[in-house]
């Protein structure tokens, strides 16, 4: 159970004289919440106009956007305020909000969408959920192309919501300062400051607290070869390198088919062939001998078949020729 104390609210209640708050947020979380906002707006706009020949999702989206943003901000702030004031028990919602903000936001949006859904939307959604989802998807693409609700605007709304529900300050910075200079100095070191990946070719940007997480999966990270050759290769090229050009790639001896079953790194191919020249020659000789034996055996079988043909077929032909012929 989440215990609400004034200590938990350091990120929202400042001390006297500390008027400059950092308020930087986890950019990855904010970006995900911004995507949820766009889908929520599309869903509410489609569901509220389904079956209405006088309205389209585009026609109601402008007003719906403002209403949705206001609803989400007010609802999240009210939830925290009621818990702090000792009102209704929202402990489970607050735990979800502070640990899984995307799920919390989705739940709030579901409630908003349900309040906007008309009767025809209920029926059509029940009868053809696939058609409804396609309409929502198409409207998301339309809004995205027309920059209807700009990314920075959605992220500003998402950041406001996140700061109000992140009571333990896990996903945003609560630090306050008495001067702008101190705030500016802090932001150059804040763990929620936006940084760019330092790996050549990678264009990703993220909060500084995700540097290690990104570095562990970045496709452009240069790493030592997994097969322990002397080369360094980008993570995205590692599989191709190991399977093709890596000097330490295991290969079979070129004389594998004739009897040498050795396998070794391809960088020692020349050494292997020179050191095992006699063995390879013996393998070839044995194969040639086996082939000669096979050829001789086949020749003997062919000769035997010829004899059988002469013994059996020729008398039959002579007999056939000796039979009297009858006029046709």
């Amino acid at each position: 159970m989440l215990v609400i104390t004034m200590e938990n609210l350091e990120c929202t209640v400042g001390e006297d004289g500390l008027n400059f708050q950092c308020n930087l947020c986890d950019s990855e979380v904010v970006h995900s919440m911004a995507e949820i906002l766009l889908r929520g707006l599309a869903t509410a706009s489609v569901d509220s106009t389904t079956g209405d020949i006088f309205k389209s999702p585009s026609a109601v989206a402008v007003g719906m956007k403002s209403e949705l943003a206001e609803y989400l901000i007010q609802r999240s702030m009210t939830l925290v305020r009621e818990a702090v004031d000792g009102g209704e028990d929202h402990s489970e919602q607050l735990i979800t909000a502070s640990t899984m903000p995307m799920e919390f936001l989705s739940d709030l949006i579901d409630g908003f969408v349900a309040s906007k859904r008309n009767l025809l939307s209920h029926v059509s959604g029940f009868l053809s959920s696939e058609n409804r989802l396609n309409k929502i998807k198409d409207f998301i693409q339309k809004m995205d192309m027309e920059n209807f609700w700009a990314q920075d605007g959605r992220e500003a709304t998402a950041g406001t919501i996140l700061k109000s529900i992140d009571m333990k300050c896990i996903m945003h910075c609560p630090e306050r300062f008495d001067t702008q200079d101190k705030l500016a100095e802090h932001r150059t070191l804040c763990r929620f400051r936006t940084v760019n990946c330092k790996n050549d070719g990678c264009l990703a940007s993220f909060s500084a607290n995700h540097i290690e997480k990104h570095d562990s999966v970045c496709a452009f990270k240069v790493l030592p070869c997994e097969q322990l050759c002397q080369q360094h290769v980008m993570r995205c090229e590692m599989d191709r390198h190991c399977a093709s050009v890596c000097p330490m790639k295991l290969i079979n001896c070129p004389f594998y088919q004739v009897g040498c079953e050795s396998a070794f790194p391809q960088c020692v191919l020349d050494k292997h062939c020179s050191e095992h020249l006699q063995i390879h020659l013996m393998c070839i000789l044995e194969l040639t001998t086996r082939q000669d034996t096979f050829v001789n055996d086949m020749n003997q079988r062919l000769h035997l078949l010829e004899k059988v043909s002469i013994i059996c077929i020729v008398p039959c032909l002579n007999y056939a020729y000796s039979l009297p012929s009858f006029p046709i």
Side-chain angles (χ1 to χ4, degrees):
M1 180 175 179
L2 182 64
V3 179
I4 307 300
T5 66
M6 291 305 295
E7 183 180 358
N8 295 130
L9 298 177
E10 286 180 354
C11 56
T12 57
V13 179
E15 299 175 8
D16 291 341
L18 302 182
N19 300 319
F20 301 97
Q21 185 170 0
C22 178
N23 267 341
L24 289 177
C25 296
D26 188 315
S27 58
E28 185 176 326
V29 175
V30 169
H31 179 76
S32 298
M33 292 175 69
E35 295 301 307
I36 295 173
L37 287 174
L38 188 63
R39 181 172 183 82
L41 175 59
T43 304
S45 299
V46 169
D47 282 0
S48 67
T49 58
T50 297
D52 191 336
I53 61 174
F54 300 105
K55 291 182 181 179
S56 66
S58 298
V60 302
V62 175
M64 194 73 72
K65 178 179 71 172
S66 300
E67 190 176 352
L68 173 62
E70 183 178 355
Y71 170 86
L72 295 174
I73 293 173
Q74 291 297 326
R75 187 72 188 92
S76 58
M77 289 182 173
T78 299
L79 183 70
V80 174
R81 190 182 304 114
E82 289 178 351
V84 173
D85 293 341
E88 297 182 36
D89 182 9
H90 297 297
S91 56
E92 291 188 6
Q93 284 181 285
L94 288 173
I95 291 174
T96 301
S98 59
T99 58
M100 297 178 289
M102 280 81 79
E103 291 189 19
F104 172 78
L105 180 61
S106 295
D107 290 342
L108 287 186
I109 289 177
D110 287 344
F112 178 82
V113 170
S115 69
K116 298 301 178 184
R117 191 172 295 153
N118 61 29
L119 179 60
L120 287 176
S121 177
H122 279 285
V123 175
S124 62
F126 176 76
L127 296 178
S128 181
S129 58
E130 183 177 354
N131 184 51
R132 171 178 174 268
L133 293 177
N134 287 335
K135 287 182 178 179
I136 293 172
K137 181 179 179 181
D138 290 343
F139 192 48
I140 291 175
Q141 293 178 345
K142 176 179 172 64
M143 289 193 296
D144 198 27
M145 291 177 59
E146 296 177 355
N147 202 27
F148 176 80
W149 194 357
Q151 181 76 18
D152 56 352
R154 284 184 282 126
E155 289 189 352
T157 300
T160 300
I161 296 171
L162 180 61
K163 283 177 281 189
S164 69
I165 62 177
D166 183 26
M167 301 181 65
K168 291 189 174 182
C169 304
I170 299 172
M171 284 162 277
H172 88 285
C173 180
E175 297 293 333
R176 291 177 179 271
F177 303 89
D178 56 358
T179 67
Q180 287 186 332
D181 290 340
K182 290 182 180 179
L183 173 61
E185 181 181 358
H186 162 78
R187 284 194 166 186
T188 63
L189 302 173
C190 180
R191 66 192 180 101
F192 293 108
R193 72 189 186 278
T194 300
V195 296
N196 298 319
C197 178
K198 295 182 179 180
N199 297 321
D200 288 341
C202 184
L203 302 178
S205 60
F206 38 82
S207 294
N209 60 321
H210 290 305
I211 290 177
E212 293 184 4
K213 175 184 175 183
H214 172 80
D215 198 59
S216 68
V217 298
C218 179
F220 296 90
K221 174 77 172 180
V222 176
L223 301 168
C225 172
E226 292 177 352
Q227 297 180 151
L228 304 181
C229 79
Q230 299 301 312
Q231 298 183 36
H232 286 67
V233 187
M234 286 193 299
R235 182 178 278 115
C236 61
E237 295 290 333
M238 187 66 71
D239 289 345
R240 184 194 65 80
H241 167 80
C242 292
S244 56
V245 299
C246 179
M248 297 302 291
K249 172 191 173 185
L250 287 180
I251 60 173
N252 290 323
C253 174
F255 296 92
Y256 181 86
Q257 297 296 334
V258 299
C260 181
E261 299 182 355
S262 299
F264 42 80
Q266 60 181 351
C267 61
V268 300
L269 172 61
D270 292 341
K271 179 182 179 182
H272 170 81
C273 289
S274 63
E275 291 180 351
H276 295 77
L277 176 61
Q278 186 174 0
I279 294 176
H280 293 159
L281 290 175
M282 289 298 297
C283 289
I284 294 174
L285 179 61
E286 291 178 5
L287 176 64
T288 303
T289 302
R290 289 197 301 269
Q291 289 178 335
D292 289 342
T293 302
F294 177 76
V295 170
N296 290 334
D297 183 60
M298 292 304 295
N299 286 334
Q300 290 178 8
R301 289 173 181 271
L302 179 59
H303 185 64
L304 180 60
L305 287 174
E306 290 175 347
K307 287 183 177 181
V308 171
S309 298
I310 294 173
I311 294 172
C312 297
I313 297 177
V314 172
C316 292
L317 291 175
N318 291 336
Y319 174 74
Y321 287 135
S322 67
L323 293 176
S325 58
F326 297 94
I328 298 175

